[in-house]
Amino acid sequence: MPDILIGNGTIVTGGAHNQLIEHGAVLVQGNRIAAIGSDVALLQQYPGAHYIDAYSGLIMPGFLCTHTHFYSAFARGMAIPGEPPRNFPEILERLWWRLDKLLTLEDTRASANVCIADAIRCGVTCAVDHHASPNAIEGSLDAIADAVEEAGIRACLAYEVSDRDGLEVIEGGIRENERFIRSLRVERRQQAEAGMISASYGLHASFTLSPATLERCAAGAAGLGVGFHIHVAEDVSDESDSMTRYQKRVVERLEADQILGPRSIAAHCVHVNSGEIGRLAETHTNSVHNPRSNMNNAVGRAPVEEMLGAGVNVGLGNDGFSMNMMQEMKAAYLLHKLALGDPRAMPGDLVFDMAFHNNARIIDAIFRPFSAGFLPVGELSVGAAADIVLLDYLHPTPMSDGNFPWHLIFGMDGHLVNSTMVAGRWLMRNRQLLTVDEARIHARARELSQALWQRM
Ligand SMILES: [Zn+2]
């Protein structure tokens, strides 16, 4: 592969200290970034590199999403028969748990295809998925992994173990997680070592998991060197269930059952109290904020700034909404201000850090067990992964290191992404998807979703 020099743009470095480099260029060698600097200097230094003109736009690290559900694509526009659900348990029972029971392996694959094409369009280069298809469990993570591999993004996969559908489905979920995790060290070893695919041990949520199931999963995961990916206190009903049945808060229960830790993801954490925040920090457990989903389900406002202040690493996910992480960033920015009645809440630079730096820390923790040489993502720096997106953004006001997050939140959106590169490979150039046939994917998804809606 010849070296690629992406120049004539403003570089946004991301990372722990975001900086802008005007008239900058990035040299890509293989799957990594080999040099960053001024356009003129790098052009002189690397005259043989294939030059890509960013046309005065932005050269940014790829967007990251640390909690998503690729199986959710068929819900778009779907009507739920009867009265509208009144609360979160009803939304699960009447929408998601009916949809996921109807998914076949082919549906799972087609739904993932739709979400992954959307990810590439919106410049998302790595996604952390949480899958459920209780009547088509075996091979479901392979169906998703094949879609991921074909499209060329990075993804971490997990199957949501849950007690809600009986013993056979519990067994199936456990087997699927453990089988898939093992395959990353055998059949899929090359992709896993290259940092393209990873796995967590998936668990649905405390209120659908018995003590016996948690115990089995903890024992299984310990031998496989992975952490867990679980919904935590998304709705207040998860906390009341845990208090009623176990006389413990959700986080305390999960800690006692060895579910927490630096490789684990506690998605949502809307209703955790200060004691639980302390336990998340102490155990270095990651949390993921999903503001669009939380607003849509009317479950409440996650104490994100409190968690960050206590030292919890909080990333940003979409929980099955569109893969447009710029929309998620806008929602995060707005939600806390309204809910707290305080315009100082959740400043733009904090949102930016969650979306890039904190998400990158989560991704590093869950990919590294399978990829010892995992390259940094969420930043453009020498030695980082060549996961790069180009945006057509011309700033109408001064733009600096300090105010860049507010330019992103107030001035940018997914449609500005014109090119997406993962591991040095272009997945989209000038808005043309290069690895997937979007028209075919959407046509097939329309057929399969219509058939699924009819079965419902
Ligand atoms: Zn979720």
Side-chain angles (χ1 to χ4, degrees):
M1 215 160 35
D3 295 352
I4 299 171
L5 186 62
I6 307 170
N8 188 29
T10 299
I11 296 171
V12 179
T13 64
H17 303 287
N18 182 46
Q19 288 185 309
L20 303 190
I21 305 170
E22 284 183 56
H23 310 292
V26 176
L27 182 78
V28 175
Q29 280 178 342
N31 64 350
R32 69 182 68 208
I33 294 170
I36 290 192
S38 96
D39 188 65
V40 175
L42 288 184
L43 256 174
Q44 275 176 355
Q45 223 177 325
Y46 301 97
H50 178 63
Y51 189 76
I52 298 286
D53 193 332
Y55 294 107
S56 306
L58 300 179
I59 305 169
M60 284 187 62
F63 289 85
L64 310 169
C65 174
T66 48
H67 180 70
T68 194
H69 300 282
F70 286 160
Y71 74 78
S72 64
F74 289 3
R76 193 185 301 177
M78 187 174 77
I80 311 174
E83 290 290 305
R86 287 169 301 179
N87 52 41
F88 183 66
E90 286 190 13
I91 292 171
L92 290 180
E93 276 163 27
R94 296 186 42 208
L95 170 60
W96 295 111
W97 293 354
R98 287 175 73 184
L99 175 103
D100 67 17
K101 280 193 189 69
L102 294 169
L103 291 169
T104 63
L105 284 184
E106 196 182 7
D107 294 330
T108 292
R109 167 83 192 237
S111 184
N113 281 337
V114 171
C115 295
I116 294 166
D118 186 30
I120 298 170
R121 279 229 172 270
C122 296
V124 173
T125 52
C126 183
V128 180
D129 189 54
H130 203 225
H131 177 66
S133 54
N135 290 314
I137 299 175
E138 192 180 349
S140 57
L141 296 184
D142 281 310
I144 302 169
D146 289 345
V148 166
E149 191 172 335
E150 184 184 282
I153 68 164
R154 299 179 200 270
C156 175
L157 308 185
Y159 188 89
E160 297 179 13
V161 175
S162 165
D163 281 30
R164 68 178 149 102
D165 299 308
L167 207 59
E168 216 173 295
V169 175
I170 299 172
E171 289 293 328
I174 288 173
R175 266 203 311 276
E176 184 63 5
N177 276 312
E178 297 185 1
R179 184 194 64 74
F180 185 74
I181 292 164
R182 284 199 186 90
S183 81
L184 297 188
R185 297 197 171 94
V186 190
E187 301 96 303
R188 293 187 187 272
R189 182 174 178 164
Q190 207 184 344
Q191 285 295 98
E193 280 184 351
M196 298 305 295
I197 193 109
S198 179
S200 287
Y201 205 116
L203 299 171
H204 174 250
S206 169
F207 68 99
T208 70
L209 290 159
S210 69
T213 304
L214 278 186
E215 196 179 318
R216 277 197 59 187
C217 294
L224 294 166
V226 295
F228 293 92
H229 187 174
I230 179 170
H231 296 117
V232 171
E234 179 173 2
D235 185 51
V236 71
S237 56
D238 196 17
E239 289 286 5
S240 48
D241 173 87
S242 182
M243 286 303 291
T244 307
R245 289 205 277 172
Y246 313 108
Q247 294 75 53
K248 285 189 187 114
R249 302 280 300 183
V250 171
V251 170
E252 292 165 359
R253 180 182 179 221
L254 296 177
E255 184 179 12
D257 283 311
Q258 286 160 24
I259 303 302
L260 306 184
R263 290 174 183 167
S264 287
I265 294 174
H268 298 293
C269 293
V270 175
H271 294 278
V272 293
N273 66 16
S274 59
E276 291 175 288
I277 291 173
R279 298 320 303 155
L280 292 170
E282 186 75 22
T283 55
H284 304 285
T285 305
N286 302 285
S287 180
V288 176
H289 182 39
N290 304 270
R292 286 183 294 178
S293 165
N294 293 164
M295 291 194 287
N296 186 51
N297 292 330
V299 290
R301 180 198 70 90
V304 173
E305 288 190 76
E306 293 89 327
M307 286 194 274
L308 290 168
V312 179
N313 183 46
V314 186
L316 198 66
N318 70 4
D319 203 21
F321 269 68
S322 81
M323 296 301 298
N324 185 345
M325 290 305 289
M326 283 183 258
Q327 287 288 338
E328 204 67 52
M329 292 172 77
K330 290 170 208 281
Y333 182 81
L334 298 172
L335 161 64
H336 299 264
K337 292 176 177 60
L338 178 67
L340 293 167
D342 184 350
R344 296 167 301 179
M346 194 57 77
D349 49 352
L350 205 55
V351 176
F352 186 84
D353 282 349
M354 285 165 59
F356 288 92
H357 187 55
N358 298 2
N359 268 352
R361 285 174 60 193
I362 296 174
I363 287 165
D364 192 273
I366 56 184
F367 276 73
R368 194 164 292 283
F370 302 96
S371 174
F374 191 71
L375 303 175
V377 295
E379 64 183 79
L380 301 186
S381 63
V382 174
D387 292 9
I388 301 171
V389 296
L390 307 184
L391 273 78
D392 298 322
Y393 181 66
L394 301 173
H395 51 96
T397 55
M399 187 168 75
S400 64
D401 300 351
N403 76 8
F404 179 77
W406 285 265
H407 272 271
L408 194 157
I409 288 165
F410 286 99
M412 299 178 205
D413 209 342
H415 70 279
L416 296 180
V417 177
N418 73 56
S419 299
T420 303
M421 169 186 274
V422 178
R425 177 188 184 201
W426 290 114
L427 307 187
M428 179 169 79
R429 270 294 287 145
N430 298 320
R431 296 194 168 78
Q432 295 296 309
L433 297 181
L434 303 176
T435 52
V436 297
D437 182 345
E438 199 177 27
R440 187 186 57 77
I441 282 170
H442 282 109
R444 188 68 184 134
R446 270 194 301 278
E447 279 173 37
L448 291 172
S449 57
Q450 190 177 22
L452 182 142
W453 291 7
Q454 275 164 0
R455 294 200 296 279
M456 191 176 262

